[in-house]
Amino acid sequence: EYIDIEIEPRKPNVPVGVAEISITPIAVQPRPANALPSIYTLGDSTVKSYTFDEAPMSGWGQVFDQLFDLRRVRVVNYSMGGRSFRSAYAEGRLNDLLLDAHVGDTVLIQFGHNDESLDETRRFGRGASEAMYQAMIREVYLPAIRARGVVPVLVTPMSRVNGALKPGESYVNSFQKRRFPELMKAIGAAEGVAVVDLNSCSVEYYNQAGE
């Protein structure tokens, strides 16, 4: 509904005059005939690609490309640790992805862990309420992605592992205070967006692996 523009002088105490600001939408990019279709991943530390010196830490986005024939598709990971729906948008991570994408490309989006935070002193700020989480998806991410002709896929955030689990106890979904996975599935159903329920799959996997 509005655009916030901040203009700063090159030197302190120097007046700045603006004659005109012209804003023109950037046209969508049809895929060139010689370009491979792209699949993008966008998320937090559970999705990001880690450097060799950070091993054995790994996000699923780091190995996601192994599911594809890379002669036929391009897989690009825009994920970074500590990010939430809000911070990934604010720092331009979503914008960069969409300006690289062509019409018909796909983006898989998974946020939730950092959106839970209530700590104002965290590096990337506090998280989101359930209302804000829904608003970021429905009012920011999905309209922007669709406006570029890109196909969105929502991925529910994997459950955290309970390190204090006792023998005989079962793992359960860690999102109990803020039910982001359920909200994401509901939005997907309402908006006609495909949802990969990684949250449920993760709990099932943890219980198969055992404590």
Side-chain angles (χ1 to χ4, degrees):
E1 297 177 356
Y2 64 91
I3 296 176
D4 189 0
I5 299 174
E6 180 176 314
I7 300 173
E8 297 181 356
R10 293 187 177 183
K11 296 179 180 179
N13 302 316
V14 175
V16 175
V18 178
E20 181 181 24
I21 295 175
S22 177
I23 300 172
T24 305
I26 300 173
V28 298
Q29 299 186 92
R31 186 182 304 125
N34 60 345
L36 293 174
S38 296
I39 299 175
Y40 298 90
T41 49
L42 179 63
D44 52 34
S45 60
T46 64
V47 192
K48 72 167 279 191
S49 297
Y50 289 80
T51 56
F52 72 94
D53 56 314
E54 295 175 297
M57 288 194 297
S58 173
W60 63 258
Q62 183 171 339
V63 295
F64 185 61
D65 62 331
Q66 296 176 19
L67 299 173
F68 300 92
D69 181 351
L70 298 182
R71 296 169 297 181
R72 300 175 61 188
V73 67
R74 174 174 170 255
V75 181
V76 187
N77 192 359
Y78 271 79
S79 305
M80 185 55 65
R83 271 54 174 193
S84 63
F85 266 114
R86 187 168 61 169
S87 62
Y89 175 76
E91 70 183 21
R93 198 163 289 274
L94 175 65
N95 277 352
D96 289 348
L97 184 161
L98 293 179
L99 289 176
D100 184 68
H102 297 108
V103 173
D105 287 344
T106 301
V107 55
L108 285 81
I109 312 157
Q110 180 212 288
F111 289 106
H113 291 143
N114 300 303
D115 304 69
E116 282 188 300
S117 173
L118 294 173
D119 186 356
E120 295 281 5
T121 63
R122 286 175 65 90
R123 285 182 300 164
F124 304 103
R126 68 181 301 172
S129 64
E130 289 188 345
M132 184 186 298
Y133 190 85
Q134 293 181 84
M136 288 300 297
I137 298 174
R138 301 186 87 153
E139 299 173 17
V140 179
Y141 275 71
L142 293 185
I145 293 167
R146 285 168 165 165
R148 303 298 296 167
V150 178
V151 179
V153 176
L154 299 173
V155 181
T156 60
M158 66 185 71
S159 179
R160 286 186 169 87
V161 171
N162 177 9
L165 196 72
K166 298 176 182 178
E169 293 181 342
S170 297
Y171 289 102
V172 296
N173 176 20
S174 64
F175 287 90
Q176 296 297 319
K177 293 183 178 179
R178 296 180 184 173
R179 298 191 174 268
F180 293 149
E182 285 77 6
L183 292 175
M184 185 176 276
K185 285 186 283 187
I187 292 170
E191 297 283 343
V193 176
V195 178
V196 177
D197 192 4
L198 182 60
N199 179 267
S200 295
C201 291
S202 68
V203 174
E204 181 180 347
Y205 173 76
Y206 301 153
N207 282 313
Q208 288 176 352
E211 73 280 356

